[in-house]
């Protein structure tokens, strides 16, 4: 769990898909945020954050995603969260961010 | 385990007799002493989830206890200990009167109670979510500055009605 | 959770540094107070198995701890309390120096230590298996009559080498 | 778990198959023993104790089976333990009774 939270980054044209793995808590959220913000230097049109392999996330992980969201908004880059697990969905709901983020369970829709 | 006078607890049901089955947990306590190291959080979550599930909590309810504790520990590490990773935190989970009582004790900087509150969530920005999550997940959340320094945080959640979303359960002290 | 002086434990590895990963459990304690009722055994097994697994024990090793505790509790109910279902038993599991220490305290009849031993298994008959199982499953098993009555049973099992079949592990007190 | 440990008894000719379910500990071993010994009154030629649905057994359960074994031996009735789970097999091994009982994982063999 001390390894990088970003497992892979794959590009489909100008769409970057970042696949995250493992629990995202205070121990790993800084690395997640750094990796995701760094990705913006590659000038994607859209960033898809694949959360399907993240069983658990706390508010420090959510904060990293919110930071990414405000940066992408400033840059005019689209952001989609793909397939959050029930627990991750639940913390997004509790913090009322489920309506702020674009969330989908369809990979096709996410990368369109 | 001291050599105290034996106590015979003939009332596994708590004080009103509505509590679960004949083999319902009576007195169960889980204690952990950890360092204020974010790398410890995962192991605490695993242990707490097991304990809560073994008490008969649903996965959903246990998940809320785990999340609330994780948030509280994160705040202790970040705010009470300013990110130092080698300071002590004592964790105590106990069952009393069909309620799970979570006590977290730190020896760091005390916050004025007024600074620990949830914020307006319609303002979308990173941070400031932990206390909101804790109050959403638990029936009660109470910070008490300890006279000899540091803080005791007590959070409770009913075992009777543990899937309930209400923020004010029957577990207030 | 008292207001003791904070302890900073900088040595999660125990005394020789070989213990598991960075997030290895340091101080973990599980306490239960139950009545000497056979209907309680199941709930103890569930809780103990969860605790042991969350400490990182294999399913196999955790199963042995569970079995040894079940046998010990069964003996307390049958022999120390003569089958009475309403007497207190205190259960304490603690991690120290990479060993799990299980302490069971009863307030019943003390057995002369010589009567508690395993028997010749080639004589096939029901009964007389519990003590043998306990010593097979744990690294050490020690009965101590308490000065104020009853008995304290301490059993240990290494977390380092927890799948090992040996009956004399490194966990002797 | 306070319900009877013997779920069903089915007869195939003179072979009685007793299907046990749930953990067998001090709470339930007396009921198990009583049920199994009672079955002998029906004069089976063979008793098959199906343990496949018993996740856990302690020495009090083992004692009930040993009691059944010595009774069946006296009566000249065959006894087979069918499909013990890994934990049950393990306690039979620890108590060195795995070689004393006839144990099989094949229902066909057990009831033959
Ligand atoms: N354990 C604590 N010790 C001291 N201050 C705290 C503690 N927990 C929370 N606080 C204070 O409460 C505020 C709100 O906490 P929280 O909602 O978790 O948001 P965040 O930690 O992201 O600021 C913190 O900014 C801090 O000032
Ligand atoms: N907790 C206890 N208190 C008193 N006597 C005990 C206790 N545990 C075991 N004994 C004694 O040790 C003997 C062996 O125990 P055990 O191997 O479990 O077989 P069993 O209980 O079937 O006789 C018992 O018969 C009893 O005399």
């Amino acid at each position: 769990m001390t390894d990088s939270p970003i497992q892979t980054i794959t590009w489909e044209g100008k769409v970057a898909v970042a696949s995250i793995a493992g629990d995202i808590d205070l121990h790993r959220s800084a690395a997640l945020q750094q990796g995701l913000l760094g990705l913006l230097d590659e000038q994607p049109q859209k960033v898809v954050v694949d959360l399907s392999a993240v069983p658990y996330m706390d508010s420090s992980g959510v904060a990293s995603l919110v930071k990414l969201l405000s940066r992408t908004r400033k840059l005019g880059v689209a952001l989609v969260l793909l397939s959050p697990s029930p627990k991750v969905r639940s913390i997004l709901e509790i913090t009322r961010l489920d309506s702020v983020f674009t969330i989908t369970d369809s990979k096709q829709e996410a990368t369109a | 385990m001291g050599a105290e006078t034996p106590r015979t607890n003939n009332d596994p049901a708590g004080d009103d007799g509505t509590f679960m089955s004949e083999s319902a947990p009576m007195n169960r306590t889980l204690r952990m002493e950890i360092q204020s190291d974010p790398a410890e959080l995962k192991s605490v979550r695993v242990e707490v989830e097991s304990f809560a599930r073994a008490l008969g909590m649903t996965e959903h309810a246990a998940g809320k206890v785990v999340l609330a504790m994780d948030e509280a520990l994160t705040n202790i590490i970040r705010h009470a200990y300013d990110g130092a990773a080698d300071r002590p935190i004592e964790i105590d989970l106990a069952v009393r009167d069909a309620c799970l009582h979570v006590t977290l004790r730190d020896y760091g900087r005390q916050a004025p109670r007024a600074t620990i509150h949830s914020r307006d969530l319609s303002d979308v920005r990173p941070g400031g979510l932990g206390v909101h999550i804790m109050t959403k997940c638990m029936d009660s959340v109470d910070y008490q500055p300890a006279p000899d320094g540091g803080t005791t945080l007590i959070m409770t959640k009913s075992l009777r009605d543990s899937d309930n979303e209400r923020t004010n359960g029957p577990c207030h002290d």
Side-chain angles (χ1 to χ4, degrees), chain A, chain B:
Chain A
M1 284 304 175
T2 51
D3 50 334
S4 169
I6 303 182
Q7 286 299 88
T8 57
I9 295 169
T10 54
W11 289 84
E12 309 192 2
K14 298 289 277 174
V15 179
V17 181
S19 298
I20 318 302
D23 287 6
I24 306 295
D25 59 10
L26 188 61
H27 186 44
R28 299 175 87 235
S29 56
L32 175 67
Q33 179 170 318
Q34 204 182 4
L36 290 175
L37 295 183
L39 185 54
L40 296 180
D41 298 340
E42 323 272 325
Q43 306 196 309
Q45 259 167 27
K46 191 183 209 177
V47 173
V48 176
V49 181
D50 183 346
L51 295 169
S52 57
V54 176
Y56 176 86
M57 181 179 285
D58 69 10
S59 73
S60 71
V62 170
S64 300
L65 295 179
V66 171
K67 187 93 189 166
L68 175 68
L69 178 68
S70 54
R71 190 72 69 89
T72 53
R73 278 181 175 172
K74 247 176 233 153
L75 296 170
V77 173
L79 173 65
V80 178
L81 305 185
L82 176 62
S83 300
S85 66
K87 277 183 187 160
V88 173
R89 209 172 256 282
S90 166
I91 192 173
L92 292 170
E93 282 162 15
I94 291 172
T95 54
R96 295 196 215 136
L97 291 164
D98 53 329
S99 55
V100 173
F101 283 100
T102 305
I103 304 175
T104 177
D105 284 336
S106 153
K107 172 108 191 228
Q108 211 178 347
E109 199 182 303
T111 52
Chain B
M1 183 158 303
E4 301 97 7
T5 317
R7 284 199 284 136
T8 304
N9 182 350
N10 279 312
D11 185 16
D15 45 11
D16 66 5
T18 57
F19 182 46
M20 304 211 280
S21 69
E22 61 168 322
S23 62
M26 297 191 294
N27 280 304
R28 304 281 136 106
T29 307
L30 176 68
R31 268 172 214 222
M32 286 172 268
E33 291 171 27
I34 64 166
Q35 285 182 269
S36 53
D37 185 338
E40 293 268 14
L41 293 171
K42 172 84 183 173
S43 142
V44 172
R45 289 197 299 270
V46 170
E47 194 77 67
V48 168
E49 167 141 39
S50 294
F51 182 75
R53 295 286 282 140
L55 291 177
M57 277 193 159
T58 62
E59 196 183 332
H60 185 71
K64 291 191 164 192
V65 173
V66 166
L67 180 57
M69 284 187 63
D70 178 301
E71 296 294 341
L73 292 168
T74 294
N75 278 348
I76 290 171
I77 295 170
R78 290 179 56 227
H79 302 300
Y81 287 140
D82 283 320
D86 62 350
R87 304 296 311 281
I89 305 174
E90 292 159 17
I91 302 171
D92 180 298
L93 281 78
V95 176
R96 279 194 301 279
D97 301 335
C99 281
L100 179 63
H101 292 242
V102 177
T103 307
L104 303 182
R105 175 75 162 95
D106 70 66
Y107 299 87
R109 201 181 55 234
Q110 296 175 343
R113 257 175 122 175
T115 68
I116 307 182
H117 54 74
S118 43
R119 67 167 171 83
D120 180 8
L121 293 182
S122 63
D123 173 20
V124 177
R125 58 176 173 82
L129 300 170
V131 172
H132 171 77
I133 291 169
M134 288 158 61
T135 54
K136 272 288 181 187
C137 291
M138 303 296 283
D139 292 340
S140 71
V141 175
D142 184 39
Y143 283 90
Q144 297 283 356
D148 55 339
T151 302
T152 301
L153 166 60
I154 301 176
M155 302 190 285
T156 64
K157 192 170 183 70
S158 173
L159 294 174
R160 274 199 194 102
D161 200 359
S162 48
D163 258 351
N164 203 314
E165 294 283 328
R166 92 224 110 98
T167 54
N168 286 316
C171 288
H172 281 291
D173 276 308

